[in-house]
Amino acid sequence: RQIPIKRTFVHYEGISDSSTLKRRSASAPSIMVSQWFQRSEKAAAHQRGQCRPCAYFFYKEDGCRQAAACKFCHICPQGEIKRRKRKKRELKKTYKAQAVGAMDVNVENR
């Protein structure tokens, strides 16, 4: 006997759900209803902005071979590495300009 499937849910004939109160979480797995959903440490670091993007994940033909064992972030968007390098370069320029400005002030005060 084949079980009919409607809209990706298994459909059972003759079972009435009208007697039970339907809730929004009625279709959620019990583990998600009974416990707080726990994210991985990598996902939490990504959300805080403290992750390090994986270059292999996007830029190598076969992707990252480490998969779940990789210590780098696979959640970041593709251009994140270049964006962070650009931001770091701009910060270095800013710090250098501030240092030169501070040196000029010290020379003028002598």
Side-chain angles (χ1 to χ4, degrees), residues 33-67:
V33 175
S34 63
Q35 296 180 4
W36 287 97
F37 182 69
Q38 296 178 1
R39 295 186 317 226
S40 70
E41 182 59 35
K42 291 178 191 177
H46 173 77
Q47 191 166 12
R48 289 189 308 263
Q50 298 173 339
C51 63
R52 295 176 63 199
C54 180
Y56 289 98
F57 187 69
F58 286 111
Y59 299 111
K60 293 295 180 179
E61 188 174 312
D62 57 346
C64 181
R65 294 180 184 173
Q66 300 283 327

PDB file of all heavy atoms in Angstrom, residues 33-67:
ATOM      1  N   VAL A  33      10.724  22.115  20.043  1.00  0.00           N
ATOM      2  CA  VAL A  33       9.662  22.638  20.889  1.00  0.00           C
ATOM      3  C   VAL A  33      10.057  22.540  22.356  1.00  0.00           C
ATOM      4  O   VAL A  33       9.788  23.430  23.151  1.00  0.00           O
ATOM      5  CB  VAL A  33       8.347  21.880  20.632  1.00  0.00           C
ATOM      6  CG1 VAL A  33       7.257  22.336  21.584  1.00  0.00           C
ATOM      7  CG2 VAL A  33       7.910  22.090  19.202  1.00  0.00           C
ATOM      8  N   SER A  34      10.743  21.455  22.737  1.00  0.00           N
ATOM      9  CA  SER A  34      11.050  21.220  24.142  1.00  0.00           C
ATOM     10  C   SER A  34      12.320  21.903  24.617  1.00  0.00           C
ATOM     11  O   SER A  34      12.507  22.119  25.790  1.00  0.00           O
ATOM     12  CB  SER A  34      11.151  19.715  24.410  1.00  0.00           C
ATOM     13  OG  SER A  34      12.216  19.172  23.660  1.00  0.00           O
ATOM     14  N   GLN A  35      13.251  22.221  23.731  1.00  0.00           N
ATOM     15  CA  GLN A  35      14.511  22.838  24.117  1.00  0.00           C
ATOM     16  C   GLN A  35      14.750  24.083  23.276  1.00  0.00           C
ATOM     17  O   GLN A  35      14.213  24.218  22.189  1.00  0.00           O
ATOM     18  CB  GLN A  35      15.671  21.877  23.882  1.00  0.00           C
ATOM     19  CG  GLN A  35      15.618  20.632  24.713  1.00  0.00           C
ATOM     20  CD  GLN A  35      16.811  19.736  24.400  1.00  0.00           C
ATOM     21  OE1 GLN A  35      17.691  20.095  23.634  1.00  0.00           O
ATOM     22  NE2 GLN A  35      16.829  18.571  25.003  1.00  0.00           N
ATOM     23  N   TRP A  36      15.582  24.968  23.804  1.00  0.00           N
ATOM     24  CA  TRP A  36      15.981  26.123  23.016  1.00  0.00           C
ATOM     25  C   TRP A  36      16.825  25.650  21.859  1.00  0.00           C
ATOM     26  O   TRP A  36      17.635  24.747  21.990  1.00  0.00           O
ATOM     27  CB  TRP A  36      16.791  27.103  23.865  1.00  0.00           C
ATOM     28  CG  TRP A  36      15.967  27.837  24.852  1.00  0.00           C
ATOM     29  CD1 TRP A  36      15.796  27.522  26.162  1.00  0.00           C
ATOM     30  CD2 TRP A  36      15.189  28.989  24.611  1.00  0.00           C
ATOM     31  NE1 TRP A  36      14.957  28.398  26.755  1.00  0.00           N
ATOM     32  CE2 TRP A  36      14.569  29.322  25.826  1.00  0.00           C
ATOM     33  CE3 TRP A  36      14.949  29.772  23.495  1.00  0.00           C
ATOM     34  CZ2 TRP A  36      13.730  30.418  25.940  1.00  0.00           C
ATOM     35  CZ3 TRP A  36      14.112  30.856  23.608  1.00  0.00           C
ATOM     36  CH2 TRP A  36      13.509  31.160  24.822  1.00  0.00           C
ATOM     37  N   PHE A  37      16.638  26.285  20.735  1.00  0.00           N
ATOM     38  CA  PHE A  37      17.434  25.942  19.562  1.00  0.00           C
ATOM     39  C   PHE A  37      18.852  26.431  19.792  1.00  0.00           C
ATOM     40  O   PHE A  37      19.096  27.599  20.056  1.00  0.00           O
ATOM     41  CB  PHE A  37      16.828  26.601  18.321  1.00  0.00           C
ATOM     42  CG  PHE A  37      17.536  26.267  17.054  1.00  0.00           C
ATOM     43  CD1 PHE A  37      17.480  24.993  16.539  1.00  0.00           C
ATOM     44  CD2 PHE A  37      18.283  27.216  16.395  1.00  0.00           C
ATOM     45  CE1 PHE A  37      18.139  24.673  15.375  1.00  0.00           C
ATOM     46  CE2 PHE A  37      18.943  26.909  15.233  1.00  0.00           C
ATOM     47  CZ  PHE A  37      18.869  25.633  14.724  1.00  0.00           C
ATOM     48  N   GLN A  38      19.818  25.527  19.697  1.00  0.00           N
ATOM     49  CA  GLN A  38      21.210  25.878  19.972  1.00  0.00           C
ATOM     50  C   GLN A  38      21.981  25.965  18.665  1.00  0.00           C
ATOM     51  O   GLN A  38      21.991  25.025  17.882  1.00  0.00           O
ATOM     52  CB  GLN A  38      21.844  24.831  20.880  1.00  0.00           C
ATOM     53  CG  GLN A  38      21.190  24.766  22.237  1.00  0.00           C
ATOM     54  CD  GLN A  38      21.816  23.682  23.098  1.00  0.00           C
ATOM     55  OE1 GLN A  38      22.735  23.009  22.678  1.00  0.00           O
ATOM     56  NE2 GLN A  38      21.309  23.530  24.294  1.00  0.00           N
ATOM     57  N   ARG A  39      22.620  27.103  18.460  1.00  0.00           N
ATOM     58  CA  ARG A  39      23.431  27.282  17.269  1.00  0.00           C
ATOM     59  C   ARG A  39      24.844  26.808  17.557  1.00  0.00           C
ATOM     60  O   ARG A  39      25.282  26.746  18.693  1.00  0.00           O
ATOM     61  CB  ARG A  39      23.480  28.749  16.871  1.00  0.00           C
ATOM     62  CG  ARG A  39      22.173  29.310  16.463  1.00  0.00           C
ATOM     63  CD  ARG A  39      22.385  30.706  15.968  1.00  0.00           C
ATOM     64  NE  ARG A  39      23.305  31.407  16.851  1.00  0.00           N
ATOM     65  CZ  ARG A  39      23.118  32.613  17.304  1.00  0.00           C
ATOM     66  NH1 ARG A  39      22.060  33.270  16.972  1.00  0.00           N
ATOM     67  NH2 ARG A  39      23.997  33.190  18.089  1.00  0.00           N
ATOM     68  N   SER A  40      25.563  26.545  16.498  1.00  0.00           N
ATOM     69  CA  SER A  40      26.958  26.156  16.664  1.00  0.00           C
ATOM     70  C   SER A  40      27.777  27.383  17.051  1.00  0.00           C
ATOM     71  O   SER A  40      27.357  28.525  16.859  1.00  0.00           O
ATOM     72  CB  SER A  40      27.492  25.554  15.369  1.00  0.00           C
ATOM     73  OG  SER A  40      27.621  26.559  14.384  1.00  0.00           O
ATOM     74  N   GLU A  41      28.951  27.141  17.589  1.00  0.00           N
ATOM     75  CA  GLU A  41      29.841  28.238  17.972  1.00  0.00           C
ATOM     76  C   GLU A  41      30.259  29.053  16.752  1.00  0.00           C
ATOM     77  O   GLU A  41      30.408  30.265  16.820  1.00  0.00           O
ATOM     78  CB  GLU A  41      31.070  27.686  18.696  1.00  0.00           C
ATOM     79  CG  GLU A  41      32.021  28.748  19.167  1.00  0.00           C
ATOM     80  CD  GLU A  41      31.403  29.760  20.122  1.00  0.00           C
ATOM     81  OE1 GLU A  41      30.536  29.369  20.922  1.00  0.00           O
ATOM     82  OE2 GLU A  41      31.773  30.945  20.046  1.00  0.00           O
ATOM     83  N   LYS A  42      30.408  28.376  15.596  1.00  0.00           N
ATOM     84  CA  LYS A  42      30.778  29.077  14.366  1.00  0.00           C
ATOM     85  C   LYS A  42      29.676  30.051  13.942  1.00  0.00           C
ATOM     86  O   LYS A  42      29.948  31.172  13.533  1.00  0.00           O
ATOM     87  CB  LYS A  42      31.039  28.088  13.240  1.00  0.00           C
ATOM     88  CG  LYS A  42      32.284  27.262  13.430  1.00  0.00           C
ATOM     89  CD  LYS A  42      32.425  26.299  12.288  1.00  0.00           C
ATOM     90  CE  LYS A  42      33.484  25.266  12.552  1.00  0.00           C
ATOM     91  NZ  LYS A  42      33.577  24.285  11.485  1.00  0.00           N
ATOM     92  N   ALA A  43      28.429  29.625  14.042  1.00  0.00           N
ATOM     93  CA  ALA A  43      27.314  30.495  13.659  1.00  0.00           C
ATOM     94  C   ALA A  43      27.200  31.676  14.613  1.00  0.00           C
ATOM     95  O   ALA A  43      26.905  32.801  14.193  1.00  0.00           O
ATOM     96  CB  ALA A  43      26.009  29.701  13.633  1.00  0.00           C
ATOM     97  N   ALA A  44      27.434  31.430  15.890  1.00  0.00           N
ATOM     98  CA  ALA A  44      27.384  32.521  16.868  1.00  0.00           C
ATOM     99  C   ALA A  44      28.506  33.525  16.604  1.00  0.00           C
ATOM    100  O   ALA A  44      28.289  34.739  16.673  1.00  0.00           O
ATOM    101  CB  ALA A  44      27.487  31.954  18.278  1.00  0.00           C
ATOM    102  N   ALA A  45      29.709  33.028  16.298  1.00  0.00           N
ATOM    103  CA  ALA A  45      30.826  33.926  15.985  1.00  0.00           C
ATOM    104  C   ALA A  45      30.540  34.725  14.718  1.00  0.00           C
ATOM    105  O   ALA A  45      30.872  35.912  14.631  1.00  0.00           O
ATOM    106  CB  ALA A  45      32.115  33.123  15.818  1.00  0.00           C
ATOM    107  N   HIS A  46      29.894  34.098  13.743  1.00  0.00           N
ATOM    108  CA  HIS A  46      29.531  34.796  12.509  1.00  0.00           C
ATOM    109  C   HIS A  46      28.565  35.934  12.811  1.00  0.00           C
ATOM    110  O   HIS A  46      28.728  37.046  12.298  1.00  0.00           O
ATOM    111  CB  HIS A  46      28.905  33.824  11.514  1.00  0.00           C
ATOM    112  CG  HIS A  46      28.356  34.494  10.299  1.00  0.00           C
ATOM    113  ND1 HIS A  46      29.152  34.942   9.274  1.00  0.00           N
ATOM    114  CD2 HIS A  46      27.080  34.817   9.956  1.00  0.00           C
ATOM    115  CE1 HIS A  46      28.391  35.506   8.353  1.00  0.00           C
ATOM    116  NE2 HIS A  46      27.135  35.444   8.747  1.00  0.00           N
ATOM    117  N   GLN A  47      27.585  35.664  13.636  1.00  0.00           N
ATOM    118  CA  GLN A  47      26.598  36.691  13.957  1.00  0.00           C
ATOM    119  C   GLN A  47      27.226  37.852  14.726  1.00  0.00           C
ATOM    120  O   GLN A  47      26.844  38.999  14.551  1.00  0.00           O
ATOM    121  CB  GLN A  47      25.439  36.096  14.760  1.00  0.00           C
ATOM    122  CG  GLN A  47      24.278  37.035  14.881  1.00  0.00           C
ATOM    123  CD  GLN A  47      23.033  36.346  15.367  1.00  0.00           C
ATOM    124  OE1 GLN A  47      23.078  35.207  15.816  1.00  0.00           O
ATOM    125  NE2 GLN A  47      21.923  37.017  15.295  1.00  0.00           N
ATOM    126  N   ARG A  48      28.227  37.572  15.549  1.00  0.00           N
ATOM    127  CA  ARG A  48      28.930  38.628  16.288  1.00  0.00           C
ATOM    128  C   ARG A  48      29.922  39.371  15.412  1.00  0.00           C
ATOM    129  O   ARG A  48      30.465  40.393  15.809  1.00  0.00           O
ATOM    130  CB  ARG A  48      29.680  38.018  17.478  1.00  0.00           C
ATOM    131  CG  ARG A  48      28.806  37.521  18.603  1.00  0.00           C
ATOM    132  CD  ARG A  48      29.634  37.143  19.821  1.00  0.00           C
ATOM    133  NE  ARG A  48      30.724  36.237  19.539  1.00  0.00           N
ATOM    134  CZ  ARG A  48      30.686  34.912  19.695  1.00  0.00           C
ATOM    135  NH1 ARG A  48      29.588  34.339  20.118  1.00  0.00           N
ATOM    136  NH2 ARG A  48      31.748  34.174  19.418  1.00  0.00           N
ATOM    137  N   GLY A  49      30.232  38.826  14.227  1.00  0.00           N
ATOM    138  CA  GLY A  49      31.208  39.442  13.340  1.00  0.00           C
ATOM    139  C   GLY A  49      32.630  39.076  13.700  1.00  0.00           C
ATOM    140  O   GLY A  49      33.570  39.747  13.294  1.00  0.00           O
ATOM    141  N   GLN A  50      32.816  38.005  14.456  1.00  0.00           N
ATOM    142  CA  GLN A  50      34.138  37.581  14.895  1.00  0.00           C
ATOM    143  C   GLN A  50      34.637  36.349  14.150  1.00  0.00           C
ATOM    144  O   GLN A  50      35.600  35.724  14.564  1.00  0.00           O
ATOM    145  CB  GLN A  50      34.116  37.294  16.398  1.00  0.00           C
ATOM    146  CG  GLN A  50      33.784  38.503  17.229  1.00  0.00           C
ATOM    147  CD  GLN A  50      33.606  38.157  18.693  1.00  0.00           C
ATOM    148  OE1 GLN A  50      33.345  37.020  19.045  1.00  0.00           O
ATOM    149  NE2 GLN A  50      33.743  39.153  19.541  1.00  0.00           N
ATOM    150  N   CYS A  51      33.985  35.991  13.068  1.00  0.00           N
ATOM    151  CA  CYS A  51      34.386  34.811  12.306  1.00  0.00           C
ATOM    152  C   CYS A  51      35.473  35.173  11.299  1.00  0.00           C
ATOM    153  O   CYS A  51      35.742  36.346  11.051  1.00  0.00           O
ATOM    154  CB  CYS A  51      33.185  34.220  11.577  1.00  0.00           C
ATOM    155  SG  CYS A  51      32.481  35.332  10.359  1.00  0.00           S
ATOM    156  N   ARG A  52      36.089  34.143  10.731  1.00  0.00           N
ATOM    157  CA  ARG A  52      37.086  34.322   9.672  1.00  0.00           C
ATOM    158  C   ARG A  52      36.588  33.548   8.457  1.00  0.00           C
ATOM    159  O   ARG A  52      36.464  32.329   8.514  1.00  0.00           O
ATOM    160  CB  ARG A  52      38.437  33.803  10.136  1.00  0.00           C
ATOM    161  CG  ARG A  52      38.981  34.611  11.306  1.00  0.00           C
ATOM    162  CD  ARG A  52      40.263  34.049  11.845  1.00  0.00           C
ATOM    163  NE  ARG A  52      41.295  34.108  10.823  1.00  0.00           N
ATOM    164  CZ  ARG A  52      42.402  33.384  10.864  1.00  0.00           C
ATOM    165  NH1 ARG A  52      42.615  32.566  11.855  1.00  0.00           N
ATOM    166  NH2 ARG A  52      43.295  33.478   9.905  1.00  0.00           N
ATOM    167  N   PRO A  53      36.276  34.227   7.347  1.00  0.00           N
ATOM    168  CA  PRO A  53      35.722  33.556   6.167  1.00  0.00           C
ATOM    169  C   PRO A  53      36.667  32.522   5.567  1.00  0.00           C
ATOM    170  O   PRO A  53      37.880  32.702   5.576  1.00  0.00           O
ATOM    171  CB  PRO A  53      35.480  34.694   5.175  1.00  0.00           C
ATOM    172  CG  PRO A  53      35.506  35.935   5.974  1.00  0.00           C
ATOM    173  CD  PRO A  53      36.370  35.670   7.161  1.00  0.00           C
ATOM    174  N   CYS A  54      36.105  31.449   5.047  1.00  0.00           N
ATOM    175  CA  CYS A  54      36.877  30.380   4.409  1.00  0.00           C
ATOM    176  C   CYS A  54      37.075  30.719   2.932  1.00  0.00           C
ATOM    177  O   CYS A  54      36.110  30.837   2.177  1.00  0.00           O
ATOM    178  CB  CYS A  54      36.153  29.047   4.555  1.00  0.00           C
ATOM    179  SG  CYS A  54      37.018  27.665   3.795  1.00  0.00           S
ATOM    180  N   ALA A  55      38.326  30.874   2.519  1.00  0.00           N
ATOM    181  CA  ALA A  55      38.632  31.206   1.125  1.00  0.00           C
ATOM    182  C   ALA A  55      38.369  30.012   0.209  1.00  0.00           C
ATOM    183  O   ALA A  55      37.945  30.187  -0.934  1.00  0.00           O
ATOM    184  CB  ALA A  55      40.077  31.649   1.001  1.00  0.00           C
ATOM    185  N   TYR A  56      38.611  28.823   0.703  1.00  0.00           N
ATOM    186  CA  TYR A  56      38.417  27.629  -0.124  1.00  0.00           C
ATOM    187  C   TYR A  56      36.948  27.400  -0.451  1.00  0.00           C
ATOM    188  O   TYR A  56      36.611  26.898  -1.515  1.00  0.00           O
ATOM    189  CB  TYR A  56      38.975  26.382   0.586  1.00  0.00           C
ATOM    190  CG  TYR A  56      40.462  26.364   0.656  1.00  0.00           C
ATOM    191  CD1 TYR A  56      41.127  26.776   1.803  1.00  0.00           C
ATOM    192  CD2 TYR A  56      41.215  25.950  -0.427  1.00  0.00           C
ATOM    193  CE1 TYR A  56      42.503  26.766   1.865  1.00  0.00           C
ATOM    194  CE2 TYR A  56      42.590  25.931  -0.379  1.00  0.00           C
ATOM    195  CZ  TYR A  56      43.235  26.340   0.769  1.00  0.00           C
ATOM    196  OH  TYR A  56      44.589  26.329   0.826  1.00  0.00           O
ATOM    197  N   PHE A  57      36.060  27.767   0.460  1.00  0.00           N
ATOM    198  CA  PHE A  57      34.630  27.498   0.285  1.00  0.00           C
ATOM    199  C   PHE A  57      34.086  28.124  -0.993  1.00  0.00           C
ATOM    200  O   PHE A  57      33.311  27.519  -1.721  1.00  0.00           O
ATOM    201  CB  PHE A  57      33.861  27.999   1.506  1.00  0.00           C
ATOM    202  CG  PHE A  57      32.411  27.626   1.506  1.00  0.00           C
ATOM    203  CD1 PHE A  57      32.011  26.312   1.662  1.00  0.00           C
ATOM    204  CD2 PHE A  57      31.439  28.593   1.345  1.00  0.00           C
ATOM    205  CE1 PHE A  57      30.685  25.972   1.667  1.00  0.00           C
ATOM    206  CE2 PHE A  57      30.103  28.254   1.350  1.00  0.00           C
ATOM    207  CZ  PHE A  57      29.721  26.941   1.512  1.00  0.00           C
ATOM    208  N   PHE A  58      34.495  29.360  -1.300  1.00  0.00           N
ATOM    209  CA  PHE A  58      33.975  30.043  -2.476  1.00  0.00           C
ATOM    210  C   PHE A  58      34.914  30.007  -3.678  1.00  0.00           C
ATOM    211  O   PHE A  58      34.474  29.967  -4.809  1.00  0.00           O
ATOM    212  CB  PHE A  58      33.676  31.508  -2.159  1.00  0.00           C
ATOM    213  CG  PHE A  58      32.452  31.691  -1.330  1.00  0.00           C
ATOM    214  CD1 PHE A  58      32.553  32.127  -0.025  1.00  0.00           C
ATOM    215  CD2 PHE A  58      31.204  31.413  -1.842  1.00  0.00           C
ATOM    216  CE1 PHE A  58      31.429  32.312   0.746  1.00  0.00           C
ATOM    217  CE2 PHE A  58      30.081  31.580  -1.075  1.00  0.00           C
ATOM    218  CZ  PHE A  58      30.185  32.022   0.216  1.00  0.00           C
ATOM    219  N   TYR A  59      36.216  30.055  -3.441  1.00  0.00           N
ATOM    220  CA  TYR A  59      37.139  30.311  -4.525  1.00  0.00           C
ATOM    221  C   TYR A  59      37.842  29.086  -5.098  1.00  0.00           C
ATOM    222  O   TYR A  59      38.571  29.213  -6.064  1.00  0.00           O
ATOM    223  CB  TYR A  59      38.165  31.361  -4.094  1.00  0.00           C
ATOM    224  CG  TYR A  59      37.481  32.671  -3.749  1.00  0.00           C
ATOM    225  CD1 TYR A  59      37.426  33.130  -2.448  1.00  0.00           C
ATOM    226  CD2 TYR A  59      36.858  33.420  -4.739  1.00  0.00           C
ATOM    227  CE1 TYR A  59      36.782  34.318  -2.133  1.00  0.00           C
ATOM    228  CE2 TYR A  59      36.218  34.606  -4.439  1.00  0.00           C
ATOM    229  CZ  TYR A  59      36.186  35.052  -3.139  1.00  0.00           C
ATOM    230  OH  TYR A  59      35.539  36.212  -2.838  1.00  0.00           O
ATOM    231  N   LYS A  60      37.659  27.937  -4.518  1.00  0.00           N
ATOM    232  CA  LYS A  60      38.238  26.714  -5.081  1.00  0.00           C
ATOM    233  C   LYS A  60      37.156  25.959  -5.836  1.00  0.00           C
ATOM    234  O   LYS A  60      35.980  25.967  -5.457  1.00  0.00           O
ATOM    235  CB  LYS A  60      38.826  25.821  -3.985  1.00  0.00           C
ATOM    236  CG  LYS A  60      40.024  26.424  -3.302  1.00  0.00           C
ATOM    237  CD  LYS A  60      41.169  26.556  -4.277  1.00  0.00           C
ATOM    238  CE  LYS A  60      42.384  27.158  -3.602  1.00  0.00           C
ATOM    239  NZ  LYS A  60      43.508  27.275  -4.473  1.00  0.00           N
ATOM    240  N   GLU A  61      37.551  25.304  -6.904  1.00  0.00           N
ATOM    241  CA  GLU A  61      36.594  24.607  -7.765  1.00  0.00           C
ATOM    242  C   GLU A  61      35.804  23.536  -7.009  1.00  0.00           C
ATOM    243  O   GLU A  61      34.604  23.386  -7.191  1.00  0.00           O
ATOM    244  CB  GLU A  61      37.339  23.969  -8.934  1.00  0.00           C
ATOM    245  CG  GLU A  61      36.422  23.394  -9.991  1.00  0.00           C
ATOM    246  CD  GLU A  61      37.206  22.900 -11.184  1.00  0.00           C
ATOM    247  OE1 GLU A  61      38.077  23.640 -11.668  1.00  0.00           O
ATOM    248  OE2 GLU A  61      36.920  21.777 -11.617  1.00  0.00           O
ATOM    249  N   ASP A  62      36.485  22.796  -6.137  1.00  0.00           N
ATOM    250  CA  ASP A  62      35.802  21.731  -5.404  1.00  0.00           C
ATOM    251  C   ASP A  62      35.370  22.154  -4.000  1.00  0.00           C
ATOM    252  O   ASP A  62      34.955  21.336  -3.197  1.00  0.00           O
ATOM    253  CB  ASP A  62      36.681  20.481  -5.329  1.00  0.00           C
ATOM    254  CG  ASP A  62      38.032  20.744  -4.697  1.00  0.00           C
ATOM    255  OD1 ASP A  62      38.394  21.919  -4.549  1.00  0.00           O
ATOM    256  OD2 ASP A  62      38.718  19.765  -4.347  1.00  0.00           O
ATOM    257  N   GLY A  63      35.449  23.431  -3.699  1.00  0.00           N
ATOM    258  CA  GLY A  63      34.996  23.938  -2.403  1.00  0.00           C
ATOM    259  C   GLY A  63      35.948  23.590  -1.281  1.00  0.00           C
ATOM    260  O   GLY A  63      37.100  23.227  -1.500  1.00  0.00           O
ATOM    261  N   CYS A  64      35.471  23.677  -0.065  1.00  0.00           N
ATOM    262  CA  CYS A  64      36.288  23.388   1.110  1.00  0.00           C
ATOM    263  C   CYS A  64      36.248  21.893   1.390  1.00  0.00           C
ATOM    264  O   CYS A  64      35.184  21.309   1.585  1.00  0.00           O
ATOM    265  CB  CYS A  64      35.765  24.165   2.316  1.00  0.00           C
ATOM    266  SG  CYS A  64      36.719  23.889   3.805  1.00  0.00           S
ATOM    267  N   ARG A  65      37.400  21.285   1.435  1.00  0.00           N
ATOM    268  CA  ARG A  65      37.476  19.844   1.679  1.00  0.00           C
ATOM    269  C   ARG A  65      37.320  19.499   3.157  1.00  0.00           C
ATOM    270  O   ARG A  65      37.067  18.357   3.494  1.00  0.00           O
ATOM    271  CB  ARG A  65      38.806  19.304   1.165  1.00  0.00           C
ATOM    272  CG  ARG A  65      38.931  19.408  -0.325  1.00  0.00           C
ATOM    273  CD  ARG A  65      40.248  18.875  -0.794  1.00  0.00           C
ATOM    274  NE  ARG A  65      40.395  19.070  -2.227  1.00  0.00           N
ATOM    275  CZ  ARG A  65      41.500  18.818  -2.880  1.00  0.00           C
ATOM    276  NH1 ARG A  65      42.561  18.374  -2.247  1.00  0.00           N
ATOM    277  NH2 ARG A  65      41.564  19.023  -4.177  1.00  0.00           N
ATOM    278  N   GLN A  66      37.472  20.484   4.024  1.00  0.00           N
ATOM    279  CA  GLN A  66      37.368  20.238   5.466  1.00  0.00           C
ATOM    280  C   GLN A  66      35.912  20.085   5.912  1.00  0.00           C
ATOM    281  O   GLN A  66      35.639  19.464   6.932  1.00  0.00           O
ATOM    282  CB  GLN A  66      38.013  21.385   6.240  1.00  0.00           C
ATOM    283  CG  GLN A  66      39.469  21.589   5.947  1.00  0.00           C
ATOM    284  CD  GLN A  66      40.337  20.572   6.640  1.00  0.00           C
ATOM    285  OE1 GLN A  66      40.025  20.131   7.732  1.00  0.00           O
ATOM    286  NE2 GLN A  66      41.428  20.208   6.006  1.00  0.00           N
ATOM    287  N   ALA A  67      34.990  20.704   5.191  1.00  0.00           N
ATOM    288  CA  ALA A  67      33.546  20.678   5.492  1.00  0.00           C
ATOM    289  C   ALA A  67      33.291  21.123   6.928  1.00  0.00           C
ATOM    290  O   ALA A  67      33.686  22.212   7.304  1.00  0.00           O
ATOM    291  CB  ALA A  67      32.970  19.317   5.183  1.00  0.00           C
TER     292      ALA A  67
END
